[in-house]
Amino acid sequence: MTPSTITELAPAKVNLTLRVGAARPDGYHPLDSLVVFADWGDMVEVRPGSGLLLTMSGEASRALPPDGNNLVLQAARALQVAAGIDDGAMIRLDKQIPVEAGLGGGSADAAATLRALNRLWGLDWTLDRLAEIGLTLGADVPACLYARPLRMRGIGEWIDILPAFDAFDAVILNPGVAVPTGPIFKAFDAADPAPLAEADPMGEDRLAWLRGERNDLEASAVARHPEIAGTLDWLRGQAGVALARMSGSGASCFALCADRASAERVADAYDGFARAVCLTGAVR
């Protein structure tokens, strides 16, 4: 019997690496990114309803539209159409991930909604099938549906799950500035980027490999938002930090730490939004 209430974690997405190529003729950018997910994020709760009704809580929800422009409702309607059903649902979103923060919050919420409604409505669709719907909602949604360590290429549609990947104790910081993705890509394009050069395969020493990688959007984001540079400089000066980098298009930054205690010390010391997390993706 289908449970009357279903809850799904919408984990924060972290781009440990992000290579970006010049825009394609259709305007999309080819990517090559190593993506992991935190054991922290938003929560999506669904239960039966006669229509689609969305309620929201959490400080970060104040920045979200409550209408049809919200990705949660878009995901629900897309699944209705794809399944050819008119079942309804009461949806509650508890929003903890900052908006426009480079942590894939909106995509994670849409993905969690698809997973939750798939169960509520008894569709029993595979994640691969849900991912086809997810790609119509946003390039990051398919990756967020799997919520596992993975390599994402193309515009987000080519996904290779990494079944054996090290867990990292880490801290996620946000300097308190919203960074819309569009202007960052526009600034990146203005620098006349080269075609995408995909990353070499990872060796056994994952941390050493990560240190040799980069986030191609970091320079453009830092130029527009110096607060990001300040956050990265601060992180790199903290004891126990092995690697610090911006995630996605910013402004959030992450640091891989020596252990959980180090991550918690860094989070406690930061004067702003900070979360000590485990980056594994094993959240379901």
Side-chain angles (χ1 to χ4, degrees):
M1 181 177 295
T2 303
S4 59
T5 301
I6 293 172
T7 303
E8 283 276 347
L9 175 65
K13 174 185 69 68
V14 174
N15 299 89
L16 292 181
T17 70
L18 179 55
R19 293 192 179 207
V20 183
R24 308 185 316 187
D26 62 6
Y28 288 99
H29 292 77
L31 309 172
D32 185 4
S33 181
L34 178 59
V35 178
V36 292
F37 294 85
D39 58 352
W40 159 83
D42 300 337
M43 295 296 294
V44 173
E45 179 185 278
V46 300
R47 53 193 175 94
S50 57
L52 291 176
L53 175 66
L54 172 65
T55 59
M56 296 185 288
S57 60
E59 183 66 26
S61 70
R62 297 175 182 271
L64 293 179
D67 56 18
N69 291 320
N70 189 294
L71 268 176
V72 167
L73 287 175
Q74 290 183 37
R77 291 180 181 131
L79 186 58
Q80 277 183 327
V81 171
I85 61 175
D86 57 5
D87 297 49
M90 299 182 69
I91 308 171
R92 180 175 177 271
L93 171 65
D94 182 38
K95 187 72 181 164
Q96 300 298 317
I97 303 173
V99 176
E100 296 181 336
L103 297 173
S107 296
D109 296 341
T113 301
L114 290 174
R115 292 196 304 266
L117 292 178
N118 181 47
R119 294 166 55 197
L120 182 71
W121 293 339
L123 299 178
D124 198 29
W125 285 10
T126 65
L127 290 180
D128 290 347
R129 189 172 182 184
L130 292 175
E132 295 177 4
I133 301 172
L135 189 60
T136 69
L137 300 167
D140 282 345
V141 178
C144 291
L145 271 162
Y146 296 104
R148 293 290 189 272
L150 55 87
R151 184 180 180 187
M152 182 175 69
R153 291 180 289 174
I155 62 169
E157 79 277 24
W158 298 348
I159 291 175
D160 296 313
I161 303 295
L162 304 176
F165 193 82
D166 300 330
F168 288 105
D169 290 306
V171 62
I172 295 174
L173 307 184
N174 185 276
V177 291
V179 180
T181 300
I184 300 304
F185 273 100
K186 185 176 181 180
F188 174 78
D189 289 336
D192 192 23
L196 178 67
E198 292 190 348
D200 294 330
M202 284 181 288
E204 291 185 4
D205 189 338
R206 300 286 175 84
L207 185 57
W209 181 86
L210 285 169
R211 285 176 172 145
E213 279 296 309
R214 59 186 187 268
N215 180 338
D216 284 338
L217 298 180
E218 190 171 298
S220 298
V222 164
R224 292 177 60 87
H225 302 281
E227 299 93 338
I228 299 173
T231 298
L232 288 170
D233 288 344
W234 183 87
L235 272 174
R236 289 164 180 156
Q238 300 305 302
V241 168
L243 171 70
R245 184 171 288 152
M246 189 183 80
S247 178
S249 57
S252 295
C253 302
F254 68 89
L256 305 184
C257 299
D259 48 39
R260 180 72 180 194
S262 297
E264 291 177 349
R265 282 196 298 270
V266 173
D268 289 343
Y270 185 65
D271 184 18
F273 181 95
R275 292 291 184 277
V277 298
C278 181
L279 297 178
T280 63
V283 297
R284 300 196 308 280

